[in-house]
């Protein structure tokens, strides 16, 4: 698997700009997806979720887009703030019994002043 | 604060030893999940318990075991510890089981010397 700490893809954005973090998921039958934010030294924190019967869902300053055709998920953060600096993980939920969420390798978001 | 608690926050021990990590789920949640997060492997699912019974198993070593008690708290036991077991161990909980949002605790950082 990919390294979380040393070799994460990194996205650097200017404070106030919009951020787009992408995720490719693996199972075309997955029916539920979550974005988590993990700050240094803390546990993953739920941001927003989306079910497979939707293409888009909006929260406060965040939007998740789901493209089932190409198995792609994206997280858009509006007006990025320094507090948004963290590692962002997508997670997919395969529908088969006994399977649990599969987490992507993560993307490190760095907000520049 | 997700409502999931984990103790201890930090644990330092020697190779060959055995440790127990503890997790209390959010009030009302029946499922508990254990994850290991290391620099080399990212966030890896270990095991899930639902209402006291093992529900799903991931990449959990035979040296590791877990249980969920009648009050729904869970313990992860790690034995014959090796240097490579050094990692962050997270517990998450969800209301029911597969497909429910998982909320993560703050984690236990295990260091094996």
């Amino acid at each position: 698997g990919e390294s979380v700490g040393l070799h994460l893809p990194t996205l650097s954005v200017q404070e106030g700009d919009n951020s787009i973090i992408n995720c490719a998921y693996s199972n075309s039958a997955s029916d539920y997806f979550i974005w988590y934010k993990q700050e240094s030294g803390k546990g993953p924190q739920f941001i927003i979720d989306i079910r497979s019967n939707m293409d888009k869902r909006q929260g406060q300053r965040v939007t998740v887009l789901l493209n089932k055709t190409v198995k792609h998920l994206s997280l858009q953060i509006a007006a990025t703030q320094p507090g948004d600096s963290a590692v962002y993980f997508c997670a997919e939920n395969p529908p088969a019994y006994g399977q649990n969420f599969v987490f992507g390798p993560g993307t490190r978001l760095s907000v520049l002043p | 604060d997700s409502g999931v608690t984990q103790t201890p926050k930090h644990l330092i021990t020697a190779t060959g030893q055995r440790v127990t990590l503890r997790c209390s789920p959010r009030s009302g949640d029946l499922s508990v999940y254990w994850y290991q997060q290391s620099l080399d492997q990212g966030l890896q699912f270990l095991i899930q318990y639902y209402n006291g019974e093992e529900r799903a198993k991931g990449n959990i070593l035979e040296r590791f075991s877990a249980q969920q008690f009648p009050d729904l708290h869970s313990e992860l036991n790690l034995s014959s510890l090796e240097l490579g077991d050094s990692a962050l161990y997270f517990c998450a909980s969800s209301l029911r089981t597969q497909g429910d949002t998982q909320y993560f605790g703050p984690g236990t950082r295990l260091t094996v010397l």
Side-chain angles (χ1 to χ4, degrees):
Chain A
E2 293 202 30
S3 168
V4 172
L6 299 180
H7 304 298
L8 275 181
T10 299
L11 175 66
S12 296
V13 298
Q14 212 65 39
E15 181 178 353
D17 287 352
N18 296 334
S19 303
I20 300 177
I21 301 170
N22 296 305
C23 175
Y25 64 92
S26 59
N27 191 330
S28 59
S30 291
D31 57 3
Y32 180 50
F33 305 86
I34 300 178
W35 278 100
Y36 286 94
K37 171 187 180 183
Q38 187 176 21
E39 296 174 273
S40 182
K42 296 184 178 180
Q45 174 190 354
F46 172 88
I47 302 175
I48 192 168
D49 59 359
I50 189 168
R51 298 209 177 263
S52 59
N53 60 352
M54 302 173 70
D55 297 324
K56 178 179 179 179
R57 189 157 189 230
Q58 287 185 288
Q60 189 176 10
R61 277 201 312 119
V62 294
T63 301
V64 55
L65 298 177
L66 175 62
N67 185 331
K68 295 181 285 292
T69 302
V70 295
K71 294 189 290 185
H72 184 267
L73 204 62
S74 69
L75 176 71
Q76 300 178 0
I77 304 174
T80 311
Q81 302 169 0
D84 295 326
S85 293
V87 175
Y88 290 81
F89 294 94
C90 67
E92 63 176 301
N93 179 232
Y97 178 81
Q99 293 197 38
N100 268 281
F101 281 98
V102 176
F103 286 80
T107 296
R108 186 180 304 280
L109 176 64
S110 178
V111 181
L112 307 173
Chain B
D1 184 0
S2 67
V4 179
T5 61
Q6 290 186 249
T7 57
K9 191 169 177 62
H10 300 279
L11 199 49
I12 301 174
T13 188
T15 54
Q17 295 298 304
R18 173 190 168 94
V19 297
T20 297
L21 313 183
R22 183 188 168 103
C23 168
S24 292
R26 294 187 320 156
S27 177
D29 283 359
L30 298 178
S31 273
V32 169
Y33 310 78
W34 286 98
Y35 291 87
Q36 180 191 57
Q37 187 178 47
S38 61
L39 285 177
D40 293 336
Q41 294 295 325
L43 198 62
Q44 298 288 318
F45 168 68
L46 296 178
I47 196 164
Q48 176 204 355
Y49 279 82
Y50 173 69
N51 205 20
E53 295 188 359
E54 183 183 305
R55 177 57 65 96
K57 226 169 183 175
N59 301 318
I60 188 167
L61 300 173
E62 285 191 12
R63 300 183 286 109
F64 297 179
S65 65
Q67 54 184 329
Q68 186 180 29
F69 296 87
D71 67 353
L72 300 177
H73 90 272
S74 178
E75 293 181 355
L76 179 67
N77 301 297
L78 314 176
S79 61
S80 303
L81 285 167
E82 302 175 359
L83 295 177
D85 297 327
S86 295
L88 276 166
Y89 291 85
F90 289 105
C91 166
S93 74
S94 69
L95 184 60
R96 293 175 300 269
T97 183
Q98 188 176 9
D100 283 347
T101 302
Q102 295 180 25
Y103 294 90
F104 283 77
T108 293
R109 180 175 292 279
L110 173 66
T111 302
V112 182
L113 301 176

